[in-house]
Coordinates of all heavy atoms in Angstrom, one line a residue:
P17 N 6.2 40.0 8.6 CA 5.7 38.7 9.0 C 6.4 37.5 8.4 O 6.6 37.6 7.2 CB 4.2 38.8 8.6 CG 4.1 39.9 7.6 CD 5.3 40.8 7.8
A18 N 6.7 36.5 9.2 CA 7.4 35.4 8.6 C 6.4 34.5 7.9 O 5.3 34.3 8.3 CB 8.0 34.6 9.8
A19 N 6.9 34.0 6.7 CA 6.0 33.1 5.9 C 6.0 31.7 6.6 O 7.1 31.3 7.1 CB 6.6 33.0 4.5
E20 N 4.9 31.1 6.6 CA 4.8 29.8 7.2 C 5.3 28.8 6.2 O 5.1 28.8 5.0 CB 3.3 29.4 7.5 CG 2.8 30.2 8.7 CD 1.4 29.6 9.1 OE1 1.2 28.4 8.9 OE2 0.6 30.5 9.6
M21 N 6.1 27.8 6.7 CA 6.7 26.8 5.9 C 5.6 25.6 5.8 O 5.0 25.4 6.8 CB 7.9 26.2 6.5 CG 9.1 27.2 6.6 SD 9.7 27.7 5.0 CE 10.5 26.2 4.5
P22 N 5.5 25.0 4.7 CA 4.5 23.9 4.6 C 5.0 22.7 5.4 O 6.2 22.6 5.6 CB 4.5 23.5 3.1 CG 5.8 24.1 2.5 CD 6.2 25.3 3.4
A23 N 4.1 22.0 5.9 CA 4.4 20.8 6.8 C 5.1 19.8 5.9 O 4.8 19.5 4.8 CB 3.1 20.2 7.3
V24 N 6.2 19.3 6.4 CA 7.0 18.3 5.7 C 7.0 17.0 6.6 O 7.3 17.1 7.8 CB 8.4 18.8 5.5 CG1 9.3 17.7 4.8 CG2 8.4 20.0 4.7
E25 N 6.7 15.9 5.9 CA 6.8 14.6 6.6 C 8.2 14.3 6.9 O 9.1 14.4 6.0 CB 6.1 13.5 5.8 CG 4.6 13.7 5.7 CD 4.0 12.5 4.9 OE1 4.6 11.4 4.9 OE2 2.9 12.7 4.3
P26 N 8.5 13.8 8.1 CA 9.9 13.4 8.4 C 10.3 12.2 7.5 O 9.5 11.4 7.2 CB 9.9 13.0 9.9 CG 8.4 12.8 10.2 CD 7.6 13.6 9.2
V27 N 11.6 12.3 7.1 CA 12.1 11.2 6.3 C 12.5 10.1 7.3 O 13.3 10.3 8.2 CB 13.3 11.6 5.5 CG1 13.9 10.5 4.7 CG2 12.9 12.8 4.5
V28 N 12.0 8.9 7.0 CA 12.4 7.7 7.8 C 13.1 6.7 6.9 O 12.5 6.3 5.9 CB 11.1 7.1 8.4 CG1 11.4 5.8 9.2 CG2 10.3 8.1 9.3
P29 N 14.3 6.4 7.2 CA 15.1 5.4 6.4 C 14.3 4.1 6.2 O 13.7 3.6 7.1 CB 16.4 5.2 7.1 CG 16.5 6.3 8.1 CD 15.1 6.8 8.4
D30 N 14.3 3.6 5.0 CA 13.7 2.3 4.6 C 12.2 2.3 4.8 O 11.6 1.2 4.8 CB 14.3 1.2 5.5 CG 15.8 1.0 5.2 OD1 16.2 1.2 4.1 OD2 16.5 0.6 6.1
Q31 N 11.5 3.5 4.9 CA 10.1 3.5 5.1 C 9.4 3.6 3.7 O 9.9 4.3 2.8 CB 9.6 4.6 6.0 CG 8.1 4.6 6.1 CD 7.6 5.5 7.2 OE1 8.0 5.3 8.4 NE2 6.8 6.4 6.9
V32 N 8.4 2.8 3.5 CA 7.6 2.9 2.3 C 6.2 3.3 2.7 O 5.6 2.7 3.6 CB 7.6 1.5 1.6 CG1 6.7 1.6 0.3 CG2 9.0 1.1 1.2
R33 N 5.6 4.2 1.9 CA 4.2 4.7 2.2 C 3.3 4.2 1.1 O 3.6 4.5 -0.1 CB 4.2 6.2 2.3 CG 2.9 6.8 2.7 CD 3.0 8.3 3.0 NE 3.9 9.0 2.0 CZ 3.4 9.6 0.9 NH1 2.2 9.5 0.5 NH2 4.3 10.1 0.0
L34 N 2.2 3.6 1.4 CA 1.2 3.1 0.4 C -0.1 3.9 0.6 O -0.6 4.1 1.7 CB 1.0 1.6 0.6 CG 2.2 0.7 0.6 CD1 1.7 -0.7 0.8 CD2 2.9 0.8 -0.7
E35 N -0.7 4.2 -0.5 CA -2.1 4.7 -0.5 C -2.9 3.8 -1.4 O -2.5 3.5 -2.5 CB -2.1 6.1 -1.1 CG -1.3 7.1 -0.3 CD -1.1 8.4 -1.1 OE1 -2.1 9.0 -1.6 OE2 0.1 8.9 -1.2
L36 N -4.0 3.3 -0.8 CA -4.9 2.4 -1.6 C -6.3 2.9 -1.7 O -6.8 3.5 -0.7 CB -4.9 1.0 -0.8 CG -3.6 0.4 -0.6 CD1 -3.1 0.6 0.8 CD2 -3.7 -1.1 -0.9
R37 N -6.9 2.7 -2.9 CA -8.3 3.1 -3.1 C -9.0 1.8 -3.7 O -8.4 1.2 -4.6 CB -8.5 4.2 -4.1 CG -8.0 5.5 -3.6 CD -8.1 6.6 -4.7 NE -7.5 7.8 -4.2 CZ -8.2 9.0 -4.0 NH1 -9.5 9.0 -4.3 NH2 -7.7 10.0 -3.6
F38 N -10.2 1.6 -3.3 CA -10.9 0.3 -3.7 C -12.1 0.7 -4.4 O -13.0 1.4 -3.9 CB -11.2 -0.5 -2.4 CG -10.0 -0.8 -1.6 CD1 -9.6 0.0 -0.6 CD2 -9.2 -1.9 -1.9 CE1 -8.4 -0.3 0.2 CE2 -8.1 -2.2 -1.2 CZ -7.7 -1.4 -0.1
S39 N -12.2 0.2 -5.7 CA -13.4 0.4 -6.5 C -14.4 -0.8 -6.3 O -15.5 -0.7 -6.8 CB -13.1 0.6 -8.0 OG -12.4 -0.6 -8.4
D40 N -14.0 -1.8 -5.5 CA -14.9 -2.9 -5.2 C -14.2 -3.6 -4.0 O -13.1 -3.3 -3.6 CB -14.9 -3.9 -6.4 CG -16.2 -4.8 -6.3 OD1 -16.9 -4.8 -5.3 OD2 -16.4 -5.6 -7.2
D41 N -14.9 -4.5 -3.3 CA -14.4 -5.2 -2.2 C -13.1 -5.9 -2.5 O -13.0 -6.5 -3.6 CB -15.4 -6.2 -1.6 CG -16.7 -5.5 -1.1 OD1 -16.7 -4.3 -1.0 OD2 -17.6 -6.3 -0.7
S42 N -12.2 -5.9 -1.6 CA -10.9 -6.5 -1.9 C -10.2 -7.0 -0.6 O -10.3 -6.3 0.4 CB -9.9 -5.5 -2.6 OG -8.7 -6.1 -2.8
W43 N -9.6 -8.2 -0.6 CA -8.9 -8.7 0.6 C -7.5 -8.1 0.5 O -6.8 -8.1 -0.5 CB -8.8 -10.2 0.5 CG -8.1 -10.7 1.7 CD1 -6.8 -11.1 1.8 CD2 -8.6 -10.8 3.0 NE1 -6.4 -11.5 3.1 CE2 -7.6 -11.3 3.8 CE3 -9.8 -10.6 3.6 CZ2 -7.7 -11.6 5.2 CZ3 -10.0 -10.9 4.9 CH2 -8.9 -11.4 5.7
V44 N -7.0 -7.6 1.7 CA -5.7 -7.0 1.7 C -4.9 -7.6 2.9 O -5.4 -7.7 4.0 CB -5.8 -5.5 1.9 CG1 -4.4 -4.8 2.1 CG2 -6.6 -4.9 0.8
E45 N -3.6 -7.9 2.6 CA -2.6 -8.3 3.7 C -1.3 -7.5 3.4 O -0.7 -7.8 2.3 CB -2.4 -9.8 3.7 CG -3.5 -10.6 4.0 CD -3.3 -12.1 4.0 OE1 -2.1 -12.5 4.2 OE2 -4.2 -12.9 3.8
I46 N -0.9 -6.6 4.2 CA 0.3 -5.9 4.1 C 1.1 -6.0 5.4 O 0.6 -5.6 6.4 CB 0.1 -4.4 3.7 CG1 -0.8 -4.3 2.5 CG2 1.4 -3.6 3.6 CD1 -1.2 -2.8 2.1
S47 N 2.4 -6.4 5.3 CA 3.2 -6.6 6.5 C 4.5 -5.9 6.3 O 5.0 -5.8 5.1 CB 3.6 -8.0 6.8 OG 2.7 -8.9 6.3
A48 N 5.1 -5.3 7.3 CA 6.4 -4.6 7.3 C 7.5 -5.6 7.5 O 7.3 -6.8 7.7 CB 6.4 -3.6 8.4
A49 N 8.7 -5.1 7.4 CA 9.9 -6.0 7.5 C 10.0 -6.8 8.8 O 10.5 -7.9 8.8 CB 11.2 -5.1 7.4
D50 N 9.5 -6.2 9.9 CA 9.5 -7.0 11.2 C 8.4 -8.0 11.3 O 8.2 -8.6 12.3 CB 9.5 -6.0 12.3 CG 8.2 -5.2 12.4 OD1 7.2 -5.4 11.6 OD2 8.1 -4.3 13.3
G51 N 7.6 -8.1 10.2 CA 6.5 -9.1 10.2 C 5.2 -8.5 10.8 O 4.1 -9.2 10.7
G52 N 5.2 -7.3 11.3 CA 4.0 -6.7 11.9 C 3.0 -6.3 10.8 O 3.4 -5.9 9.7
R53 N 1.7 -6.6 11.0 CA 0.7 -6.3 10.0 C 0.4 -4.8 10.0 O 0.1 -4.2 11.0 CB -0.6 -7.0 10.4 CG -0.6 -8.5 10.1 CD -1.9 -9.0 10.4 NE -1.9 -10.5 10.1 CZ -2.9 -11.3 10.5 NH1 -3.9 -10.8 11.2 NH2 -2.8 -12.5 10.2
L54 N 0.4 -4.2 8.8 CA 0.1 -2.8 8.6 C -1.4 -2.7 8.2 O -2.0 -1.7 8.6 CB 1.0 -2.2 7.6 CG 2.5 -2.2 7.8 CD1 3.2 -1.7 6.6 CD2 2.8 -1.4 9.1
L55 N -1.9 -3.6 7.5 CA -3.3 -3.6 7.0 C -3.6 -5.1 6.7 O -2.9 -5.8 6.1 CB -3.4 -2.8 5.8 CG -4.8 -2.5 5.3 CD1 -5.7 -1.8 6.4 CD2 -4.8 -1.6 4.0
Y56 N -4.8 -5.5 7.2 CA -5.2 -6.9 7.1 C -6.7 -7.0 7.1 O -7.3 -6.4 8.1 CB -4.6 -7.7 8.2 CG -4.9 -9.2 8.2 CD1 -4.1 -10.1 7.4 CD2 -6.0 -9.7 8.8 CE1 -4.4 -11.4 7.4 CE2 -6.3 -11.1 8.8 CZ -5.5 -11.9 8.1 OH -5.8 -13.2 8.0
G57 N -7.3 -7.6 6.1 CA -8.8 -7.8 6.2 C -9.5 -7.4 4.9 O -8.8 -7.1 3.9
L58 N -10.8 -7.4 4.9 CA -11.6 -7.1 3.7 C -11.8 -5.6 3.7 O -12.4 -5.0 4.6 CB -12.9 -7.8 3.8 CG -13.8 -7.7 2.6 CD1 -13.2 -8.2 1.4 CD2 -15.2 -8.3 2.9
M59 N -11.4 -5.0 2.6 CA -11.6 -3.5 2.4 C -12.8 -3.4 1.5 O -13.0 -4.2 0.6 CB -10.4 -2.9 1.7 CG -9.1 -3.0 2.5 SD -9.1 -2.3 4.1 CE -8.8 -3.7 5.1
R60 N -13.7 -2.5 1.8 CA -14.9 -2.3 1.1 C -14.8 -1.3 -0.1 O -14.0 -0.4 -0.1 CB -16.0 -1.9 2.0 CG -16.3 -2.9 3.1 CD -16.9 -4.1 2.6 NE -17.2 -5.1 3.7 CZ -17.8 -6.2 3.4 NH1 -18.0 -6.6 2.2 NH2 -18.0 -7.0 4.5
K61 N -15.8 -1.5 -1.0 CA -15.9 -0.6 -2.2 C -15.9 0.9 -1.7 O -16.5 1.2 -0.7 CB -17.2 -0.9 -2.9 CG -17.4 0.0 -4.1 CD -18.6 -0.4 -4.8 CE -18.8 0.6 -6.0 NZ -20.0 0.3 -6.8
D62 N -15.2 1.7 -2.4 CA -15.0 3.2 -2.1 C -14.2 3.5 -0.8 O -14.2 4.7 -0.5 CB -16.4 3.8 -2.0 CG -17.2 3.7 -3.4 OD1 -16.5 3.7 -4.4 OD2 -18.4 3.6 -3.4
E63 N -13.6 2.5 -0.2 CA -12.8 2.8 0.9 C -11.4 3.2 0.5 O -11.0 2.9 -0.6 CB -12.6 1.5 1.7 CG -12.3 1.7 3.2 CD -12.4 0.4 4.0 OE1 -13.1 -0.5 3.6 OE2 -11.9 0.4 5.1
Q64 N -10.7 4.0 1.3 CA -9.4 4.5 1.1 C -8.5 4.2 2.3 O -9.0 4.5 3.4 CB -9.3 6.0 0.7 CG -10.1 6.3 -0.5 CD -10.0 7.8 -0.8 OE1 -9.0 8.5 -0.5 NE2 -11.1 8.4 -1.2
R65 N -7.3 3.8 2.2 CA -6.4 3.5 3.3 C -5.0 4.0 3.0 O -4.6 3.9 1.8 CB -6.4 2.1 3.6 CG -7.7 1.5 4.1 CD -8.0 2.0 5.5 NE -9.2 1.4 6.0 CZ -9.2 0.4 6.9 NH1 -8.1 -0.1 7.4 NH2 -10.4 0.0 7.4
S66 N -4.3 4.4 4.0 CA -2.9 4.8 3.9 C -2.2 4.1 5.0 O -2.6 4.1 6.1 CB -2.7 6.3 4.0 OG -3.3 7.0 3.0
V67 N -1.0 3.5 4.6 CA -0.2 2.9 5.6 C 1.3 3.2 5.3 O 1.6 3.5 4.1 CB -0.4 1.3 5.7 CG1 -1.8 1.0 6.1 CG2 0.0 0.7 4.3
A68 N 2.2 3.0 6.3 CA 3.6 3.2 6.1 C 4.3 2.2 7.0 O 3.9 2.0 8.1 CB 4.0 4.6 6.4
G69 N 5.4 1.7 6.5 CA 6.2 0.8 7.3 C 7.6 0.6 6.7 O 7.9 1.0 5.6
R70 N 8.4 -0.1 7.5 CA 9.8 -0.3 7.1 C 9.9 -1.4 6.1 O 9.3 -2.5 6.3 CB 10.6 -0.6 8.4 CG 12.1 -0.5 8.2 CD 12.8 -0.7 9.5 NE 12.5 -1.9 10.1 CZ 13.3 -3.0 10.0 NH1 14.5 -2.9 9.4 NH2 13.0 -4.1 10.6
A71 N 10.6 -1.1 5.0 CA 10.8 -2.0 3.9 C 11.7 -3.2 4.3 O 12.5 -3.0 5.2 CB 11.4 -1.3 2.7
P72 N 11.5 -4.3 3.7 CA 10.6 -4.6 2.6 C 9.2 -4.8 3.1 O 9.0 -5.5 4.2 CB 11.2 -5.8 1.9 CG 11.9 -6.5 3.0 CD 12.4 -5.5 3.9
L73 N 8.2 -4.3 2.4 CA 6.8 -4.6 2.7 C 6.4 -5.8 1.9 O 6.8 -5.9 0.7 CB 5.9 -3.4 2.3 CG 6.2 -2.1 3.0 CD1 5.1 -1.1 2.7 CD2 6.2 -2.3 4.5
R74 N 5.6 -6.7 2.4 CA 5.0 -7.8 1.7 C 3.5 -7.5 1.5 O 2.8 -7.2 2.5 CB 5.2 -9.1 2.5 CG 6.6 -9.5 2.6 CD 6.8 -10.9 3.2 NE 8.2 -11.1 3.5 CZ 9.1 -11.4 2.6 NH1 8.8 -11.5 1.3 NH2 10.4 -11.7 3.0
V75 N 3.1 -7.6 0.3 CA 1.7 -7.2 -0.1 C 1.0 -8.3 -0.8 O 1.5 -9.0 -1.7 CB 1.8 -6.0 -1.0 CG1 0.4 -5.5 -1.4 CG2 2.6 -4.8 -0.4
L76 N -0.2 -8.6 -0.4 CA -1.1 -9.5 -1.0 C -2.5 -8.8 -1.2 O -3.0 -8.2 -0.2 CB -1.3 -10.8 -0.2 CG -2.3 -11.8 -0.9 CD1 -1.7 -13.2 -0.9 CD2 -3.6 -11.8 -0.2
L77 N -3.0 -8.7 -2.4 CA -4.2 -8.1 -2.7 C -5.1 -9.1 -3.5 O -4.8 -9.6 -4.5 CB -4.0 -6.8 -3.6 CG -3.1 -5.8 -3.1 CD1 -2.8 -4.7 -4.2 CD2 -3.7 -5.1 -1.9
G78 N -6.3 -9.3 -2.9 CA -7.3 -10.1 -3.6 C -8.2 -9.2 -4.4 O -8.5 -8.1 -3.9
N79 N -8.7 -9.6 -5.5 CA -9.5 -8.7 -6.4 C -8.7 -7.5 -6.7 O -9.1 -6.4 -6.6 CB -10.9 -8.3 -5.7 CG -11.8 -7.7 -6.8 OD1 -11.6 -7.9 -8.0 ND2 -12.8 -7.1 -6.3
A80 N -7.4 -7.7 -7.0 CA -6.4 -6.7 -7.3 C -6.8 -5.7 -8.4 O -6.4 -4.5 -8.3 CB -5.1 -7.3 -7.6
G81 N -7.7 -6.1 -9.3 CA -8.1 -5.2 -10.4 C -9.0 -4.1 -9.8 O -9.2 -3.1 -10.5
A82 N -9.5 -4.2 -8.6 CA -10.3 -3.2 -8.0 C -9.5 -2.3 -7.1 O -10.1 -1.4 -6.4 CB -11.4 -3.8 -7.2
V83 N -8.1 -2.4 -7.1 CA -7.3 -1.6 -6.2 C -6.4 -0.6 -7.0 O -5.8 -1.0 -8.0 CB -6.4 -2.5 -5.4 CG1 -5.5 -1.7 -4.5 CG2 -7.2 -3.6 -4.6
E84 N -6.5 0.6 -6.6 CA -5.6 1.6 -7.2 C -4.5 1.8 -6.1 O -4.9 2.2 -4.9 CB -6.3 2.9 -7.4 CG -5.4 4.0 -7.9 CD -6.2 5.4 -8.0 OE1 -7.4 5.4 -8.3 OE2 -5.6 6.4 -7.8
L85 N -3.3 1.7 -6.4 CA -2.2 1.7 -5.4 C -1.2 2.8 -5.8 O -0.8 2.9 -7.0 CB -1.5 0.4 -5.4 CG -0.2 0.3 -4.5 CD1 -0.6 0.6 -3.0 CD2 0.5 -1.0 -4.6
K86 N -0.8 3.6 -4.8 CA 0.3 4.6 -5.0 C 1.4 4.2 -4.0 O 1.0 3.9 -2.8 CB -0.1 6.0 -4.7 CG -1.0 6.5 -5.8 CD -1.3 8.0 -5.6 CE -2.2 8.5 -6.8 NZ -2.5 9.9 -6.6
V87 N 2.6 4.2 -4.4 CA 3.8 3.9 -3.5 C 4.6 5.2 -3.4 O 5.1 5.7 -4.5 CB 4.6 2.7 -4.1 CG1 5.8 2.5 -3.2 CG2 3.7 1.5 -4.2
D88 N 4.7 5.7 -2.3 CA 5.5 6.9 -2.0 C 4.9 8.0 -3.0 O 5.7 8.8 -3.5 CB 7.0 6.8 -2.2 CG 7.5 5.9 -1.1 OD1 7.0 5.9 0.0 OD2 8.5 5.2 -1.3
G89 N 3.6 8.1 -3.2 CA 3.0 9.1 -4.0 C 2.9 8.9 -5.4 O 2.2 9.6 -6.2
A90 N 3.6 7.8 -5.9 CA 3.6 7.5 -7.4 C 2.7 6.3 -7.7 O 2.7 5.4 -7.0 CB 5.0 7.3 -7.9
P91 N 1.9 6.4 -8.8 CA 1.1 5.2 -9.2 C 1.9 4.0 -9.4 O 3.1 4.1 -9.8 CB 0.5 5.7 -10.5 CG 0.6 7.2 -10.5 CD 1.8 7.5 -9.7
F92 N 1.4 2.9 -8.9 CA 2.1 1.6 -9.0 C 1.3 0.6 -9.9 O 0.1 0.4 -9.6 CB 2.3 1.0 -7.6 CG 3.1 -0.2 -7.6 CD1 4.5 -0.2 -7.5 CD2 2.5 -1.5 -7.5 CE1 5.2 -1.4 -7.5 CE2 3.2 -2.7 -7.5 CZ 4.6 -2.6 -7.5
D93 N 1.9 0.0 -10.9 CA 1.2 -0.9 -11.8 C 1.2 -2.3 -11.2 O 2.2 -2.9 -11.0 CB 1.9 -0.9 -13.1 CG 1.2 -1.8 -14.2 OD1 0.1 -2.2 -13.9 OD2 1.9 -2.0 -15.2
L94 N 0.0 -2.8 -10.9 CA -0.2 -4.1 -10.3 C -0.2 -5.2 -11.3 O 0.1 -6.4 -10.9 CB -1.5 -4.1 -9.5 CG -1.6 -3.3 -8.3 CD1 -3.1 -3.2 -7.7 CD2 -0.7 -3.8 -7.2
A95 N -0.4 -4.9 -12.6 CA -0.6 -6.0 -13.6 C 0.6 -7.0 -13.6 O 0.3 -8.2 -13.7 CB -0.8 -5.3 -15.0
P96 N 1.9 -6.5 -13.6 CA 2.9 -7.5 -13.6 C 3.0 -8.5 -12.4 O 3.7 -9.5 -12.5 CB 4.2 -6.7 -13.7 CG 3.8 -5.3 -14.0 CD 2.4 -5.2 -13.6
H97 N 2.3 -8.1 -11.4 CA 2.3 -8.9 -10.1 C 1.1 -9.8 -10.0 O 0.9 -10.5 -8.9 CB 2.4 -8.0 -8.9 CG 3.6 -7.1 -9.0 ND1 4.9 -7.5 -8.8 CD2 3.7 -5.8 -9.4 CE1 5.7 -6.5 -9.0 NE2 5.0 -5.4 -9.4
M98 N 0.1 -9.7 -10.9 CA -1.1 -10.4 -10.8 C -1.1 -11.8 -11.4 O -0.5 -12.0 -12.5 CB -2.3 -9.6 -11.4 CG -2.6 -8.4 -10.7 SD -3.8 -7.3 -11.4 CE -5.3 -8.4 -11.4
R99 N -1.7 -12.7 -10.7 CA -2.1 -14.1 -11.2 C -3.5 -14.2 -11.0 O -4.0 -14.3 -9.9 CB -1.3 -15.1 -10.5 CG 0.1 -15.2 -10.8 CD 0.7 -16.5 -10.3 NE 1.9 -16.7 -11.1 CZ 2.6 -17.8 -11.2 NH1 2.1 -18.8 -10.4 NH2 3.6 -18.0 -11.9
G100 N -4.3 -14.2 -12.1 CA -5.7 -14.2 -11.9 C -6.1 -12.9 -11.3 O -5.7 -11.8 -11.7
A101 N -6.9 -12.9 -10.2 CA -7.4 -11.7 -9.5 C -6.5 -11.4 -8.3 O -6.8 -10.4 -7.6 CB -8.8 -11.9 -9.0
V102 N -5.4 -12.1 -8.1 CA -4.6 -11.9 -6.9 C -3.2 -11.3 -7.3 O -2.6 -11.8 -8.2 CB -4.4 -13.2 -6.1 CG1 -3.4 -13.0 -5.0 CG2 -5.7 -13.8 -5.7
A103 N -2.8 -10.3 -6.6 CA -1.5 -9.7 -6.7 C -0.7 -10.0 -5.5 O -1.2 -9.8 -4.4 CB -1.5 -8.2 -7.0
R104 N 0.6 -10.5 -5.6 CA 1.4 -10.7 -4.5 C 2.8 -10.2 -4.9 O 3.4 -10.6 -5.9 CB 1.5 -12.3 -4.3 CG 2.2 -12.7 -3.0 CD 2.3 -14.2 -2.9 NE 1.0 -14.8 -3.1 CZ 0.3 -15.4 -2.1 NH1 0.7 -15.2 -0.8 NH2 -0.9 -15.9 -2.3
F105 N 3.4 -9.4 -4.0 CA 4.7 -8.8 -4.3 C 5.4 -8.2 -3.1 O 4.7 -8.1 -2.0 CB 4.6 -7.7 -5.4 CG 3.6 -6.6 -5.1 CD1 4.0 -5.5 -4.5 CD2 2.3 -6.8 -5.4 CE1 3.1 -4.5 -4.3 CE2 1.3 -5.8 -5.1 CZ 1.7 -4.7 -4.5
R106 N 6.6 -7.9 -3.2 CA 7.4 -7.3 -2.1 C 7.9 -5.9 -2.6 O 8.2 -5.7 -3.8 CB 8.6 -8.2 -1.9 CG 9.5 -7.7 -0.8 CD 10.6 -8.7 -0.7 NE 11.8 -8.0 -0.8 CZ 13.0 -8.4 -0.4 NH1 13.1 -9.6 0.2 NH2 14.1 -7.7 -0.5
L107 N 7.8 -4.9 -1.7 CA 8.3 -3.6 -2.0 C 9.5 -3.2 -1.2 O 9.4 -3.2 0.1 CB 7.1 -2.6 -1.7 CG 6.0 -2.6 -2.7 CD1 4.9 -1.7 -2.2 CD2 6.4 -2.1 -4.1
D108 N 10.6 -2.8 -1.8 CA 11.7 -2.4 -1.1 C 11.7 -0.8 -1.1 O 11.0 -0.2 -1.9 CB 13.0 -2.8 -1.9 CG 13.1 -4.3 -1.8 OD1 13.1 -4.9 -0.7 OD2 13.3 -5.0 -2.9
A109 N 12.5 -0.2 -0.2 CA 12.6 1.2 -0.1 C 13.2 1.7 -1.4 O 14.1 1.1 -1.9 CB 13.5 1.6 1.1
G110 N 12.6 2.8 -1.9 CA 13.1 3.3 -3.2 C 12.7 2.5 -4.4 O 13.1 2.7 -5.5
R111 N 11.9 1.5 -4.2 CA 11.4 0.5 -5.2 C 12.6 0.0 -5.9 O 12.7 -0.5 -6.9 CB 10.4 1.1 -6.1 CG 9.1 1.3 -5.3 CD 7.9 1.5 -6.2 NE 7.8 2.9 -6.5 CZ 7.0 3.3 -7.5 NH1 6.4 2.5 -8.2 NH2 6.8 4.6 -7.7

């Protein structure tokens, strides 16, 4: 019997994948390189979202201290991008 291969996500050049978890309500605006919105609006406490888009991604997070972010599966430190409770930054492919 042939062993089943695990599912592999296709590699898309310049694509960045984000996973977000919210420990409190937070405003989110994430746009792809073409300006299209990937995620926009008020995310609620205990909500989780995943998005992917072509880099560079533009990210704005309100109440950023309540957001846990992973970029391409790796934890991402929001602290250097925060001013008060708002984080604003750009993500390139391969960071």
Side-chain angles (χ1 to χ4, degrees):
E20 286 188 33
M21 297 294 290
V24 177
E25 290 184 25
V27 175
V28 178
D30 297 328
Q31 182 166 302
V32 178
R33 186 173 40 92
L34 305 181
E35 299 168 48
L36 303 101
R37 291 177 185 243
F38 303 92
S39 60
D40 201 353
D41 293 356
S42 178
W43 181 262
V44 177
E45 295 180 25
I46 303 173
S47 333
D50 64 3
R53 287 183 177 168
L54 301 175
L55 188 61
Y56 182 87
L58 183 64
M59 303 299 121
R60 298 294 184 177
K61 179 180 179 178
D62 298 326
E63 202 168 343
Q64 298 179 38
R65 294 291 183 99
S66 295
V67 297
R70 196 171 58 98
L73 300 186
R74 297 189 188 283
V75 180
L76 179 133
L77 302 171
N79 194 16
V83 181
E84 178 188 326
L85 175 63
K86 288 185 180 182
V87 177
D88 293 330
F92 184 84
D93 184 10
L94 293 171
H97 306 284
M98 290 177 63
R99 286 195 158 192
V102 176
R104 186 184 309 256
F105 53 97
R106 184 180 121 158
L107 288 171
D108 293 308
R111 291 198 269 165

